[in-house]
Amino acid sequence: MSAAREYGLDDQYEWPRPPEGGWTADDLDRLPNLPPHTELIDGSLVFMSPQTRFHSRTMRLLENALLAQLPEGLDVDREMTIKLDIKNRPEPDVVVYREEAVTDDTDQTWYEPENVVLAVEVVSADSRERDREVKPRKYADAGVPHFWRVEKNDGLPVVYVYELDPATRTYALSGIHHNRLKLTIPFAIDIDLTALHGRR
């Protein structure tokens, strides 16, 4: 039996077929009926599984804390893509960017890497390799200066903080933070990671 039929897709349904050489970053805005939060990695479409409660709560905790502590000239969004190059448009869970990255177009869907200060990935079971290996390598190569990888440990977030080495265009681990994330770069920030399930 066809897997497509199990999903309720009949013989009339047509899956998006990539063009020769793969999809481009601009195609991501033009392809109809893509699932929410589709990424482009190496010219291939990557569909994401539904989020867990941990994933959603962690994103909210980080976004709220960053919003409350951002210096002037910076802003934060959840789930906005970064157009790294013609074949790569990943979607970090949280992104801190310079305000000049914002255009007058309210339908803007991506930022340029030179305007991104921090990309954050909350690791999920289906994205573990991408979040740990593929995406950090691509962010670093594009010059994104700071990257946080967030893992779950005993139900709470653990934040692995990386800083870009400009000479090698790779990330160096600068700290692993349990319970509390307190940093001075890229700006002063203090987050109680144990407040994951609390309300402000």
Side-chain angles (χ1 to χ4, degrees), residues 152-172:
K152 182 167 84 168
N153 184 37
D154 292 331
L156 290 175
V158 176
V159 182
Y160 294 74
V161 174
Y162 296 86
E163 188 173 350
L164 185 67
D165 178 343
T168 61
R169 300 283 275 206
T170 58
Y171 286 127

Side-chain angles (χ1 to χ4, degrees), residues 93-142:
D93 290 308
V94 179
V95 62
V96 174
Y97 57 92
R98 294 181 185 87
E99 287 180 340
E100 56 262 32
V102 178
T103 68
D104 292 332
D105 183 2
T106 56
D107 293 326
Q108 181 178 357
T109 58
W110 53 269
Y111 298 125
E112 305 238 3
E114 54 266 29
N115 287 316
V116 174
V117 174
L118 168 67
V120 181
E121 295 288 355
V122 181
V123 176
S124 299
D126 71 323
S127 66
R128 189 170 286 116
E129 287 184 13
R130 287 192 307 276
D131 292 344
R132 288 179 176 174
E133 299 172 26
V134 178
K135 290 164 83 172
R137 188 174 66 246
K138 291 182 180 296
Y139 294 145
D141 192 52

Side-chain angles (χ1 to χ4, degrees), residues 15-48:
W15 293 95
R17 291 187 183 96
E20 187 174 333
W23 301 108
T24 68
D26 291 332
D27 290 331
L28 209 54
D29 292 323
R30 299 181 188 133
L31 287 166
N33 304 318
L34 287 179
H37 312 300
T38 300
E39 296 181 291
L40 185 73
I41 305 292
D42 295 328
S44 296
L45 299 175
V46 178
F47 307 130
M48 289 178 245

Side-chain angles (χ1 to χ4, degrees), residues 15 41 52-53 56 58 61 63 72 78 82 85 89 98 100 104-106 114 127 139 145-146 148 163 166 172 179 181:
W15 293 95
I41 305 292
T52 63
R53 187 167 183 267
S56 179
T58 299
L61 172 70
E63 181 187 32
E72 198 167 322
R78 284 169 57 166
I82 306 172
D85 56 41
R89 227 176 101 183
R98 294 181 185 87
E100 56 262 32
D104 292 332
D105 183 2
T106 56
E114 54 266 29
S127 66
Y139 294 145
H146 300 276
W148 297 351
E163 188 173 350
N179 299 324
L181 175 63

Side-chain angles (χ1 to χ4, degrees), residues 58-71 74-77 94-96 118-120 148 181 183 186-191 200:
T58 299
M59 285 194 304
R60 183 172 73 178
L61 172 70
L62 295 176
E63 181 187 32
N64 287 341
L66 287 165
L67 271 172
Q69 301 176 55
L70 282 174
L74 297 179
D75 207 343
V76 63
D77 278 326
V94 179
V95 62
V96 174
L118 168 67
V120 181
W148 297 351
L181 175 63
L183 303 171
F187 46 86
I189 187 157
D190 192 350
I191 304 175
R200 295 186 67 183

